[in-house]
Amino acid sequence: MLKGMPRLKTTISVDEDTLMSACELLGLSSRSEVVDVALDRLVKSERLLRDLRAYLAVPPTEYEIALGQLAVGFDLGDDEFDYDALYGI
């Protein structure tokens, strides 16, 4: 949520144990802030699900499948680092 956005004062009933658990998990003491975080995450999650359903509704073409299977060259331009030795890759 963006700071300074219009706020709506309302009364809701919530399970106190769930609200306190959310406060603890998020490290927040403000109940309003916890509800804001929860609603923000719900909206983002639902939008993502809507997008995923839209993508799944139209199957990929053979060209798109082939394009996704192409080998990709990746060069960071930093040959002075031995990533195998550093990370065991």
Side-chain angles (χ1 to χ4, degrees):
M1 187 179 109
L2 298 175
K3 300 287 184 201
M5 296 211 36
R7 311 266 311 156
L8 170 69
K9 187 166 182 98
T10 189
T11 302
I12 60 172
S13 297
V14 296
D15 180 81
E16 186 176 5
D17 290 338
T18 303
L19 183 60
M20 292 300 104
S21 293
C23 286
E24 184 179 322
L25 285 169
L26 295 172
L28 301 173
S29 57
S30 165
R31 294 173 177 187
S32 292
E33 204 171 359
V34 169
V35 172
D36 283 342
V37 169
L39 290 173
D40 186 55
R41 290 183 180 180
L42 172 71
V43 168
K44 288 177 181 176
S45 174
E46 289 300 318
R47 285 182 177 156
L48 178 60
L49 284 173
R50 183 186 302 162
D51 289 347
L52 287 172
R53 286 185 191 111
Y55 286 120
L56 292 174
V58 179
T61 64
E62 288 183 29
Y63 173 77
E64 291 169 328
I65 292 170
L67 189 62
Q69 294 173 342
L70 289 176
V72 177
F74 189 72
D75 181 11
L76 295 173
D78 55 356
D79 294 334
E80 67 271 17
F81 294 103
D82 183 357
Y83 288 105
D84 289 335
L86 289 170
Y87 302 106
I89 299 174

